[in-house]
């Protein structure tokens, strides 16, 4: 007789306690998507700012609005986290920091570093 295969299990990533390296790995993908989706808006604002002096002033006014200020904080976190996690992944690819202790420490550095970069940005715009 053929053996019965068990049904695939649904893993709820919110309920699972991921290690810091798992958070850094998933966190590397999420900011990448956010940055990719922000390209049209950034391109529009850049084009508007280059049209003429009035377009530049309009782009500045838009960037000072509350929704775009909040979005800029999200984009700075995305860029910081994606950059730091990308560097971490490149180092892991060349076998630097592969052992458990160093991998855990570098994951914490990525997660905390992105928050610090975002905090510095928030302080600079306030």
């Amino acid at each position: 007789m053929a053996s019965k295969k068990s049904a695939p299990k649904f893993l709820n990533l919110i309920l699972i306690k991921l290690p810091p390296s798992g958070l850094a790995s998933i966190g590397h993908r999420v900011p990448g998507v956010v940055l990719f989706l922000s390209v049209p808006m950034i391109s529009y604002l850049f084009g508007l700012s280059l049209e003429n002096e009035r377009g530049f002033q309009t782009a500045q006014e838009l960037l000072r609005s509350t929704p775009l200020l909040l979005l800029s904080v999200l984009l700075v976190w995305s860029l910081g986290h994606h950059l730091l996690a990308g560097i971490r992944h490149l180092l892991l690819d060349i076998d630097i920091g592969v052992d458990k202790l160093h991998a855990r420490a570098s994951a914490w550095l990525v997660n905390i570093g992105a928050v610090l970069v975002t905090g510095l940005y928030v302080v600079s715009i306030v």
Side-chain angles (χ1 to χ4, degrees):
M1 291 195 134
S3 64
K4 256 184 140 180
K5 288 186 178 182
S6 62
K9 296 193 188 300
F10 171 70
L11 296 176
N12 189 345
L13 294 178
I14 295 171
L15 298 177
I16 295 174
K17 186 174 186 239
L18 289 172
S21 57
L23 290 173
S25 182
I26 290 173
H28 181 66
R29 289 162 178 80
V30 172
V33 171
V34 170
L35 291 170
F36 176 75
L37 293 176
S38 70
V39 168
M41 180 200 65
I42 293 170
S43 299
Y44 168 74
L45 288 172
F46 184 62
L48 182 65
S49 71
L50 292 178
E51 282 179 0
N52 53 34
E53 188 175 341
R54 182 66 197 138
F56 182 76
Q57 290 171 351
T58 304
Q60 279 186 323
E61 290 168 12
L62 286 171
L63 287 170
R64 288 188 191 119
S65 69
T66 303
L68 281 182
L69 277 176
L70 293 174
L71 187 61
S72 72
V73 171
L74 174 68
L75 290 175
V76 166
W77 172 80
S78 295
L79 183 61
H81 196 285
H82 195 71
L83 177 69
L84 293 173
I87 292 170
R88 177 180 180 266
H89 284 297
L90 288 173
L91 291 172
L92 290 173
D93 285 344
I94 58 173
D95 292 331
I96 297 175
V98 176
D99 60 291
K100 187 176 181 179
L101 179 67
H102 290 108
R104 186 175 291 260
S106 67
W108 275 111
L109 284 173
V110 166
N111 293 329
I112 293 170
V115 172
L116 288 176
V117 167
T118 306
L120 288 172
Y121 174 70
V122 169
V123 168
S124 75
I125 64 172
V126 171

